[in-house]
Amino acid sequence: MSIKIGTADLRHGLFLAPMAGVSDRTFRLLCREWGAEYLVSEMVSAKALCYEQKGKRKESATLGTAPLAAITEGEAPMAVQIFGREPSFMAEAARLLQSGEYRGCTSAVPPVAIDINMGCPVRKVTGNGEGSALMKNPKLIGQIVSEVVRATSLPVTVKIRAGWDASSVNAPEVAKIAEQAGASLVCVHARTREQLYAPGIDLGVIEAVKRAVGIPVIGNGDVNSAESAIRMMRETGCDGVMIGRGAMGNPWIFRQIAAALEGNSYEAPALPERMETAKRHLDGMIAHKGARVGLAEAKKHMAWYVAGVHGAAAARSAIMNAQSAEEIRTILSDLAQRNEG
Ligand SMILES: Cc1cc2nc3c(=O)[nH]c(=O)nc-3n(C[C@H](O)[C@H](O)[C@H](O)COP(=O)(O)O)c2cc1C
């Protein structure tokens, strides 16, 4: 089984989830190295991107939105995800992203697709009728998708939830509307907005979406092992899986799933290699975001890498209090050494 999306040909359908504040360039590249076939940017505000072009936001804000959409050579195939509510802004953002000609753009590599966010549960977003609030307005979803499809020759994909709440599970209906409006792929996070990220997903929703549409369907939610990925594919018939939290501090999950799908076994790297990967992650974030921001933002990732290791609690607290990257490197090396001995 393989999935074709635009210029991308994906053997297993292994997607890294968009995660604002987490799936930045450094993390995406590491996940790619460990087998993520398809990457998606952190969500980008369509309106903010458009306003930057008109100079309606101050220059420092320009540095805030456009760089989120930047794609480097090693990241392709990568989609850029936009969020918003007004079809005109969504369409304009898609046009800008495809052209690569906009203020603040540092990307020479075009997105493989434009993804539309219909799943974000954050109140600041849903309060504007954006993200998962769109699930309450299927008609508007149709309008947004068709205008974005008209504005770009890139494939347009949608990322939806099961529905808004338990009484309004409408993912199959929404997926069909998106397909009729020209969407090329749908990813379903099998939880309602009401459920936020509470444990437990409804595989039946993914299966129902798969039955409702002819375009590829990617399942999402709680995939944190090769077993859970294979179970999702087998029980729902979905064409691929998208992994978010299961890849945090654990980018080799993609290789584990690929190996299992090929009938091979694959052991996660031993602790020393995991800690070396964490250090490369730290270095990448500092190189990309600067010493201060890079260090601050890397700490949560470092804590994820040490999770489950003997001595993790003390290491995590030392990481959070560290004043320099060097200090964190030493903590990681010591942890690896202590567990080896
Ligand atoms: C920290 C964080 C940030 C997220 N940001 C986004 C985002 O920008 N766009 C989006 O569509 N989903 C976002 N999500 C949702 C994930 O893409 C995914 O749908 C969700 O985490 C369920 O998958 P998982 O169980 O594999 O983590 C985010 C999730 C987390 C935990």
Side-chain angles (χ1 to χ4, degrees):
M1 187 170 63
S2 77
I3 306 177
K4 250 195 97 51
I5 167 122
T7 52
D9 217 335
L10 313 176
R11 177 148 184 233
H12 296 303
L14 302 181
F15 286 49
L16 172 65
M19 287 186 285
V22 173
S23 62
D24 61 6
R25 177 178 304 158
T26 307
F27 186 55
R28 292 193 301 260
L29 284 170
L30 274 173
C31 288
R32 167 59 50 74
E33 193 180 313
W34 293 94
E37 296 175 294
Y38 189 95
L39 308 174
V40 187
S41 73
E42 300 170 77
M43 64 182 192
V44 174
S45 161
K47 204 170 198 171
L49 192 71
C50 295
Y51 274 8
E52 278 178 3
Q53 305 312 304
K54 300 195 170 88
K56 285 191 183 166
R57 296 182 90 202
K58 53 185 191 299
E59 198 58 32
S60 64
T62 302
L63 297 174
T65 300
L68 291 174
I71 302 173
T72 49
E73 214 59 69
E75 291 172 285
M78 169 173 151
V80 173
Q81 184 188 68
I82 52 175
F83 74 96
R85 173 174 56 95
E86 287 114 315
S88 57
F89 280 115
M90 300 292 270
E92 177 62 8
R95 197 191 59 71
L96 287 170
L97 290 166
Q98 176 168 18
S99 74
E101 288 165 8
Y102 52 98
R103 228 165 100 215
C105 175
T106 53
S107 166
V109 182
V112 70
I114 303 294
D115 186 53
I116 302 177
N117 181 318
M118 302 181 185
C120 180
V122 175
R123 212 175 285 273
K124 216 170 79 186
V125 172
T126 57
N128 288 332
E130 303 169 333
S132 59
L134 288 173
M135 297 297 296
K136 291 193 282 189
N137 198 342
K139 194 164 156 230
L140 180 58
I141 287 180
Q143 286 166 0
I144 291 173
V145 174
S146 34
E147 291 214 20
V148 174
V149 166
R150 246 207 322 265
T152 174
S153 60
L154 295 172
V156 175
T157 62
V158 295
K159 180 161 177 283
I160 65 176
R161 278 193 176 238
W164 178 256
D165 61 20
S167 68
S168 60
V169 170
N170 61 351
E173 174 200 346
V174 163
K176 223 185 286 180
I177 288 171
E179 179 182 42
Q180 277 158 7
S184 300
L185 174 145
V186 56
C187 172
V188 196
H189 178 190
R191 278 190 185 88
T192 61
R193 188 275 175 181
E194 187 182 39
Q195 291 174 295
L196 299 173
Y197 296 98
I201 52 152
D202 181 359
L203 288 179
V205 168
I206 302 174
E207 190 192 2
V209 170
K210 179 64 191 165
R211 272 193 269 109
V213 297
I215 52 178
V217 174
I218 305 302
N220 171 238
D222 291 358
V223 173
N224 51 24
S225 62
E227 294 71 34
S228 51
I230 286 174
R231 177 164 170 244
M232 182 180 276
M233 288 177 169
R234 202 170 282 153
E235 291 189 13
T236 70
C238 67
D239 303 279
V241 291
M242 175 179 273
I243 298 151
R245 290 163 301 165
M248 290 170 167
N250 192 36
W252 28 84
I253 187 170
F254 297 98
R255 200 168 288 174
Q256 284 174 310
I257 298 170
L261 288 170
E262 290 163 15
N264 300 320
S265 68
Y266 173 81
E267 287 292 322
L271 190 60
E273 188 177 358
R274 297 203 319 258
M275 295 303 104
E276 285 311 308
T277 305
K279 286 183 211 167
R280 284 203 288 127
H281 196 150
L282 173 66
D283 294 344
M285 288 187 76
I286 287 172
H288 183 210
K289 300 189 170 179
R292 196 180 57 81
V293 176
L295 179 67
E297 290 191 8
K299 286 183 176 180
K300 59 178 182 276
H301 287 278
M302 300 301 111
W304 292 326
Y305 280 102
V306 303
V309 178
H310 181 67
R316 196 160 44 235
S317 134
I319 287 166
M320 291 306 171
N321 290 319
Q323 300 297 316
S324 69
E326 199 41 52
E327 233 179 283
I328 294 183
R329 283 189 207 102
T330 307
I331 295 163
L332 297 172
S333 299
D334 288 352
L335 192 68
Q337 223 160 31
R338 274 203 310 275
N339 279 276
E340 283 292 281

